[in-house]
Amino acid sequence: MLDATSPTFPREIVELGLRFHPLTKAELLDEIFRPRPPGTRIVLGGANLHGLYVTHVDPAYDRLLARPDTLVILDGMPLVWMLRARGHKVERAHRTTWVDWLTDSFERAAREGKGVFVLGHTPEVLETGLALARARWPSLRIDGHHGFFDMTGGSAELEAVLARIAAAEPHFLVVGMGMPRQERFVDAYRERLAVPVVGLGGAAFAYFAGFEPTPPRWMGRWGLEWLHRLAADPRRMAHRYLLEPPLLAGHLARRAWTQRPQSP
């Protein structure tokens, strides 16, 4: 088991009571794979509009992003725009959505001889993605387990999953079980995950495996990726992209009001 010590990240912005770590793709990959003292663990979280909304309705995700050993990447252009509006120097290059760098992390893990474990998705998505990764990077040490198991503390299925992760000894654990299930899992069992880097990957591995249509990358750079996802799956994405933003705007406005400078 790794003790959760407090790592030092290259740059941190604290705004509206939330933590953000603007990094370019190259800087993020260096952070994931850089050598760390024994016993150091980081959790790689992502901040997008949906994620910020979840922080207001799910305490586990809010706790996770607030922890000093969680690195919070900018997973969407709206976050870049929001931080700019608050006076911070962030650029388009600091938008590091998982789809844009997951394959680079696999390539680097193969090159450096570091293992990867994917936890989540359906058995079909998982096995297809693992086969693709092994074919593309024959030297990559990669394994996984699907995300449909009983997460109740002490359950036989949970213990089997934790034992399998421990036996694989990965450097990078990609947890893709959707929000907020993946955050609840990591929040509850992070102390039992002997993994240097635990990433909250959402659907990134499903995109890699070809089970989700990948939006044109130019759309992401201009903050339009949500339109592609909404059109591809309107029934599932309508709440996220049409209803959550105004609710989130209300939450953030209240944060801004409560944190406004007080008159002397």
Side-chain angles (χ1 to χ4, degrees), residues 99 203 206-217 225 228-233 236-237:
V99 173
Y207 283 98
F208 170 75
F211 283 77
E212 296 280 355
T214 302
R217 304 323 301 141
E225 195 166 288
H228 186 279
R229 290 176 173 162
L230 178 62
D233 194 348
R236 185 164 64 96
M237 294 298 180

Side-chain angles (χ1 to χ4, degrees), residues 100-182:
D100 290 329
W101 59 264
L102 182 64
T103 55
D104 297 276
S105 74
F106 290 165
E107 188 278 331
R108 184 151 173 177
R111 187 171 72 245
E112 296 188 8
K114 294 181 177 178
V116 176
F117 195 99
V118 180
L119 176 63
H121 310 286
T122 66
E124 182 182 12
V125 170
L126 181 70
E127 292 306 319
T128 299
L130 292 178
L132 287 172
R134 289 164 180 155
R136 186 167 176 180
W137 301 283
S139 64
L140 176 62
R141 182 167 54 86
I142 187 169
D143 199 359
H145 190 284
H146 65 77
F148 294 85
F149 62 93
D150 182 2
M151 289 193 344
T152 305
S155 75
E157 290 182 351
L158 171 67
E159 294 302 320
V161 167
L162 294 174
R164 184 164 177 179
I165 295 171
E169 297 183 336
H171 174 81
F172 188 21
L173 170 63
V174 180
V175 184
M177 297 190 290
M179 293 180 178
R181 178 177 165 85
Q182 61 190 18

Side-chain angles (χ1 to χ4, degrees), residues 1 31 46 57 66 80 86 89-90 92-93 129 135 138 151-152 157 173 176 195 200 205 212 229-230 232 236-237:
M1 182 187 300
E31 189 65 22
V57 297
V80 173
R86 301 289 292 184
K89 293 182 179 180
V90 292
R92 182 174 285 115
M151 289 193 344
T152 305
E157 290 182 351
L173 170 63
V195 182
L200 303 171
F205 194 70
E212 296 280 355
R229 290 176 173 162
L230 178 62
R236 185 164 64 96
M237 294 298 180

